[in-house]
PDB file of all heavy atoms in Angstrom:
ATOM      1  N   ARG A  35       1.116   9.361  -9.416  1.00 98.00           N
ATOM      2  CA  ARG A  35       2.126   9.085  -8.406  1.00 98.00           C
ATOM      3  C   ARG A  35       2.255  10.299  -7.490  1.00 98.00           C
ATOM      4  O   ARG A  35       1.952  11.418  -7.874  1.00 98.00           O
ATOM      5  CB  ARG A  35       3.484   8.752  -9.040  1.00 98.00           C
ATOM      6  CG  ARG A  35       4.172   9.913  -9.725  1.00 98.00           C
ATOM      7  CD  ARG A  35       5.462   9.455 -10.369  1.00 98.00           C
ATOM      8  NE  ARG A  35       6.144  10.547 -11.086  1.00 98.00           N
ATOM      9  CZ  ARG A  35       7.170  10.388 -11.884  1.00 98.00           C
ATOM     10  NH1 ARG A  35       7.661   9.164 -12.094  1.00 98.00           N
ATOM     11  NH2 ARG A  35       7.722  11.423 -12.480  1.00 98.00           N
ATOM     12  N   GLU A  43       0.546  13.478  -8.993  1.00 95.00           N
ATOM     13  CA  GLU A  43       0.810  13.823 -10.397  1.00 95.00           C
ATOM     14  C   GLU A  43       0.266  12.728 -11.307  1.00 95.00           C
ATOM     15  O   GLU A  43       0.566  11.543 -11.108  1.00 95.00           O
ATOM     16  CB  GLU A  43       2.336  13.949 -10.584  1.00 95.00           C
ATOM     17  CG  GLU A  43       2.804  14.067 -12.001  1.00 95.00           C
ATOM     18  CD  GLU A  43       4.309  13.864 -12.162  1.00 95.00           C
ATOM     19  OE1 GLU A  43       4.932  13.255 -11.279  1.00 95.00           O
ATOM     20  OE2 GLU A  43       4.847  14.285 -13.196  1.00 95.00           O
ATOM     21  N   GLY A  44      -0.526  13.125 -12.290  1.00 97.00           N
ATOM     22  CA  GLY A  44      -0.977  12.170 -13.282  1.00 97.00           C
ATOM     23  C   GLY A  44       0.139  11.887 -14.261  1.00 97.00           C
ATOM     24  O   GLY A  44       0.757  12.812 -14.782  1.00 97.00           O
ATOM     25  N   ILE A  45       0.426  10.603 -14.531  1.00 97.00           N
ATOM     26  CA  ILE A  45       1.553  10.284 -15.392  1.00 97.00           C
ATOM     27  C   ILE A  45       1.165   9.509 -16.648  1.00 97.00           C
ATOM     28  O   ILE A  45       1.863   9.590 -17.653  1.00 97.00           O
ATOM     29  CB  ILE A  45       2.657   9.526 -14.626  1.00 97.00           C
ATOM     30  CG1 ILE A  45       2.097   8.258 -13.974  1.00 97.00           C
ATOM     31  CG2 ILE A  45       3.312  10.425 -13.601  1.00 97.00           C
ATOM     32  CD1 ILE A  45       3.162   7.377 -13.344  1.00 97.00           C
ATOM     33  N   ALA A  46       0.084   8.769 -16.614  1.00 97.00           N
ATOM     34  CA  ALA A  46      -0.324   8.016 -17.803  1.00 97.00           C
ATOM     35  C   ALA A  46      -1.811   7.717 -17.720  1.00 97.00           C
ATOM     36  O   ALA A  46      -2.312   7.384 -16.647  1.00 97.00           O
ATOM     37  CB  ALA A  46       0.466   6.719 -17.934  1.00 97.00           C
ATOM     38  N   VAL A  56      -2.271   8.824 -23.151  1.00 95.00           N
ATOM     39  CA  VAL A  56      -1.503  10.060 -23.009  1.00 95.00           C
ATOM     40  C   VAL A  56      -0.560   9.909 -21.826  1.00 95.00           C
ATOM     41  O   VAL A  56      -0.875   9.223 -20.853  1.00 95.00           O
ATOM     42  CB  VAL A  56      -2.443  11.277 -22.833  1.00 95.00           C
ATOM     43  CG1 VAL A  56      -3.252  11.189 -21.564  1.00 95.00           C
ATOM     44  CG2 VAL A  56      -1.651  12.573 -22.885  1.00 95.00           C
ATOM     45  N   TYR A  57       0.605  10.536 -21.943  1.00 97.00           N
ATOM     46  CA  TYR A  57       1.626  10.477 -20.904  1.00 97.00           C
ATOM     47  C   TYR A  57       2.017  11.883 -20.467  1.00 97.00           C
ATOM     48  O   TYR A  57       2.003  12.827 -21.260  1.00 97.00           O
ATOM     49  CB  TYR A  57       2.885   9.775 -21.422  1.00 97.00           C
ATOM     50  CG  TYR A  57       2.680   8.335 -21.811  1.00 97.00           C
ATOM     51  CD1 TYR A  57       2.465   7.984 -23.139  1.00 97.00           C
ATOM     52  CD2 TYR A  57       2.716   7.329 -20.858  1.00 97.00           C
ATOM     53  CE1 TYR A  57       2.277   6.660 -23.510  1.00 97.00           C
ATOM     54  CE2 TYR A  57       2.539   5.997 -21.212  1.00 97.00           C
ATOM     55  CZ  TYR A  57       2.320   5.673 -22.540  1.00 97.00           C
ATOM     56  OH  TYR A  57       2.135   4.361 -22.892  1.00 97.00           O
ATOM     57  N   ALA A  58       2.411  11.989 -19.219  1.00 96.00           N
ATOM     58  CA  ALA A  58       3.037  13.214 -18.759  1.00 96.00           C
ATOM     59  C   ALA A  58       4.435  13.294 -19.362  1.00 96.00           C
ATOM     60  O   ALA A  58       5.078  12.262 -19.620  1.00 96.00           O
ATOM     61  CB  ALA A  58       3.113  13.226 -17.237  1.00 96.00           C
ATOM     62  N   ASP A  59       4.915  14.518 -19.569  1.00 97.00           N
ATOM     63  CA  ASP A  59       6.244  14.691 -20.156  1.00 97.00           C
ATOM     64  C   ASP A  59       7.330  14.025 -19.309  1.00 97.00           C
ATOM     65  O   ASP A  59       8.336  13.565 -19.852  1.00 97.00           O
ATOM     66  CB  ASP A  59       6.548  16.182 -20.300  1.00 97.00           C
ATOM     67  CG  ASP A  59       5.725  16.835 -21.401  1.00 97.00           C
ATOM     68  OD1 ASP A  59       5.185  16.110 -22.258  1.00 97.00           O
ATOM     69  OD2 ASP A  59       5.631  18.081 -21.397  1.00 97.00           O
ATOM     70  N   SER A  60       7.112  13.959 -18.019  1.00 96.00           N
ATOM     71  CA  SER A  60       8.132  13.417 -17.112  1.00 96.00           C
ATOM     72  C   SER A  60       8.391  11.923 -17.326  1.00 96.00           C
ATOM     73  O   SER A  60       9.437  11.415 -16.912  1.00 96.00           O
ATOM     74  CB  SER A  60       7.731  13.674 -15.666  1.00 96.00           C
ATOM     75  OG  SER A  60       6.465  13.099 -15.380  1.00 96.00           O
ATOM     76  N   VAL A  61       7.449  11.223 -17.955  1.00 97.00           N
ATOM     77  CA  VAL A  61       7.616   9.776 -18.133  1.00 97.00           C
ATOM     78  C   VAL A  61       7.574   9.347 -19.599  1.00 97.00           C
ATOM     79  O   VAL A  61       7.803   8.174 -19.905  1.00 97.00           O
ATOM     80  CB  VAL A  61       6.560   8.985 -17.340  1.00 97.00           C
ATOM     81  CG1 VAL A  61       6.573   9.382 -15.870  1.00 97.00           C
ATOM     82  CG2 VAL A  61       5.169   9.174 -17.932  1.00 97.00           C
ATOM     83  N   LYS A  62       7.296  10.279 -20.484  1.00 97.00           N
ATOM     84  CA  LYS A  62       7.151   9.945 -21.907  1.00 97.00           C
ATOM     85  C   LYS A  62       8.436   9.314 -22.440  1.00 97.00           C
ATOM     86  O   LYS A  62       9.531   9.803 -22.195  1.00 97.00           O
ATOM     87  CB  LYS A  62       6.824  11.224 -22.685  1.00 97.00           C
ATOM     88  CG  LYS A  62       6.189  10.996 -24.034  1.00 97.00           C
ATOM     89  CD  LYS A  62       5.764  12.323 -24.650  1.00 97.00           C
ATOM     90  CE  LYS A  62       4.652  12.984 -23.881  1.00 97.00           C
ATOM     91  NZ  LYS A  62       4.192  14.247 -24.495  1.00 97.00           N
ATOM     92  N   GLY A  63       8.285   8.210 -23.139  1.00 97.00           N
ATOM     93  CA  GLY A  63       9.431   7.506 -23.696  1.00 97.00           C
ATOM     94  C   GLY A  63      10.035   6.475 -22.753  1.00 97.00           C
ATOM     95  O   GLY A  63      10.862   5.661 -23.178  1.00 97.00           O
ATOM     96  N   ARG A  64       9.650   6.513 -21.480  1.00 98.00           N
ATOM     97  CA  ARG A  64      10.197   5.560 -20.504  1.00 98.00           C
ATOM     98  C   ARG A  64       9.130   4.631 -19.950  1.00 98.00           C
ATOM     99  O   ARG A  64       9.425   3.487 -19.583  1.00 98.00           O
ATOM    100  CB  ARG A  64      10.855   6.306 -19.337  1.00 98.00           C
ATOM    101  CG  ARG A  64      11.996   7.217 -19.730  1.00 98.00           C
ATOM    102  CD  ARG A  64      12.711   7.777 -18.504  1.00 98.00           C
ATOM    103  NE  ARG A  64      11.814   8.588 -17.691  1.00 98.00           N
ATOM    104  CZ  ARG A  64      11.573   8.349 -16.399  1.00 98.00           C
ATOM    105  NH1 ARG A  64      12.141   7.326 -15.792  1.00 98.00           N
ATOM    106  NH2 ARG A  64      10.762   9.144 -15.705  1.00 98.00           N
ATOM    107  N   PHE A 103      -5.869  15.193 -16.530  1.00 86.00           N
ATOM    108  CA  PHE A 103      -5.046  14.472 -15.566  1.00 86.00           C
ATOM    109  C   PHE A 103      -5.320  15.014 -14.164  1.00 86.00           C
ATOM    110  O   PHE A 103      -4.453  14.944 -13.308  1.00 86.00           O
ATOM    111  CB  PHE A 103      -3.564  14.670 -15.887  1.00 86.00           C
ATOM    112  CG  PHE A 103      -2.939  13.530 -16.638  1.00 86.00           C
ATOM    113  CD1 PHE A 103      -2.080  13.780 -17.706  1.00 86.00           C
ATOM    114  CD2 PHE A 103      -3.176  12.213 -16.280  1.00 86.00           C
ATOM    115  CE1 PHE A 103      -1.489  12.737 -18.398  1.00 86.00           C
ATOM    116  CE2 PHE A 103      -2.586  11.166 -16.963  1.00 86.00           C
ATOM    117  CZ  PHE A 103      -1.736  11.439 -18.034  1.00 86.00           C
TER     118      PHE A 103
END
Side-chain angles (χ1 to χ4, degrees):
R35 69 183 178 190
E43 170 193 21
I45 56 173
V56 64
Y57 297 97
D59 288 342
S60 58
V61 305
K62 200 174 293 182
R64 300 187 298 123
F103 261 137

